[in-house]
Amino acid sequence: MSNFFNNGQRMPNIFERARAYEDGNEGYVQQQRPKRNIVINTNRLWYGEDSTVSAFLATAYDEQGNTIDSMRGYFLEPGTDYNRAKREGSDTAIMSGEYEVIPQNEMKKRIAIRNGIKENNIALKYDWYIDNPPGRSGIAIHGGKTGENTTGCFIPGDSFEPNKEKSNYVINNNQKKEELFRFFYNYGHNGIKINVGPDLEDWYK
């Protein structure tokens, strides 16, 4: 993936920044990266028996808070049950709220600190994680298509369709995942926030 400054220097991605930090060279990285950040707003709008669909808008901002880019899509989550959403392994959508989206390296650091274990003893499967939703762990953004492919994670897609059993599925999921991850790499250098919800009915309260 290429991303360059006006002077032709390539901007280090978030994984390179993590490695530079580990090598004691974080000052070099801080000097080169622009202070861009991303905010993702989602709205849960379709509920199936084993899945939930949200529309999302991801907006990138510069250091002055000006919008510099945006993208839209849908997220597929498991079915929503707020009575169980805070239980580990509940196979439900997470609670609505504001969370950080962080890369695998940062997720390992936080798990190690919280649990008093070494990072090299932590095995993670995905590139991007939603940090610390109440009562849950391992909530990631990854590929897939139906509610069977997620136990709490977010599956991006271009659009969605419900089937006869009310089990939603997302369309062009792999392409949208790659588009979203490129958006993270290009603009998420100073942090990524995701606002999960409000649910559609909250707009009418």
Side-chain angles (χ1 to χ4, degrees), residues 28-46:
Y28 166 78
V29 176
Q30 289 280 3
Q31 184 179 5
Q32 292 203 44
R33 73 185 187 194
K35 292 184 178 179
R36 298 167 172 171
N37 69 289
I38 297 171
V39 176
I40 307 169
N41 290 304
T42 79
N43 183 28
R44 287 174 174 156
L45 49 80
W46 188 279

Side-chain angles (χ1 to χ4, degrees), residues 8-195:
Q9 280 190 304
R10 189 177 67 81
M11 180 171 60
N13 67 39
I14 200 162
F15 297 108
E16 292 171 327
R17 295 204 315 277
R19 287 195 294 270
Y21 179 83
E22 292 169 357
D23 294 339
N25 198 20
E26 177 67 2
Y28 166 78
V29 176
Q30 289 280 3
Q31 184 179 5
Q32 292 203 44
R33 73 185 187 194
K35 292 184 178 179
R36 298 167 172 171
N37 69 289
I38 297 171
V39 176
I40 307 169
N41 290 304
T42 79
N43 183 28
R44 287 174 174 156
L45 49 80
W46 188 279
Y47 298 88
E49 292 181 1
D50 69 351
S51 54
T52 304
V53 173
S54 300
F56 77 80
L57 170 64
T59 307
Y61 299 94
D62 64 16
E63 186 175 0
Q64 289 74 39
N66 301 309
T67 299
I68 53 177
D69 203 353
S70 65
M71 63 171 288
R72 296 177 182 271
Y74 293 88
F75 282 129
L76 184 73
E77 303 172 71
T80 299
D81 182 350
Y82 290 129
N83 292 322
R84 300 189 296 122
K86 295 182 180 180
R87 300 178 191 171
E88 190 71 85
S90 59
D91 191 13
T92 64
I94 64 173
M95 295 295 294
S96 297
E98 181 183 287
Y99 306 101
E100 285 186 88
V101 178
I102 59 176
Q104 183 187 106
N105 285 359
E106 178 63 21
M107 190 75 255
K108 285 186 177 182
K109 292 178 187 295
R110 297 188 185 189
I111 292 173
I113 291 171
R114 289 166 185 161
N115 296 280
I117 58 178
K118 295 181 179 180
E119 288 182 43
N120 57 12
N121 292 331
I122 300 169
L124 295 178
K125 182 177 181 180
Y126 300 111
D127 290 338
W128 294 92
Y129 286 83
I130 295 174
D131 187 38
N132 209 27
R136 307 288 289 278
S137 63
I139 304 300
I141 300 174
H142 63 72
K145 187 171 183 178
T146 71
E148 294 180 353
N149 303 133
T150 170
T151 59
C153 298
F154 288 61
I155 299 174
D158 258 339
S159 59
F160 77 98
E161 290 287 345
N163 68 20
K164 294 180 180 180
E165 290 76 31
K166 298 183 180 179
S167 178
N168 311 305
Y169 61 92
V170 285
I171 298 172
N172 294 330
N173 47 298
N174 286 328
Q175 295 94 317
K176 182 58 68 171
K177 181 193 75 171
E178 294 303 319
E179 180 186 354
L180 183 61
F181 287 2
R182 284 195 300 271
F183 198 82
F184 289 174
Y185 290 130
N186 288 338
Y187 302 118
H189 311 99
N190 207 40
I192 304 170
K193 296 282 188 182
I194 184 167
N195 297 306

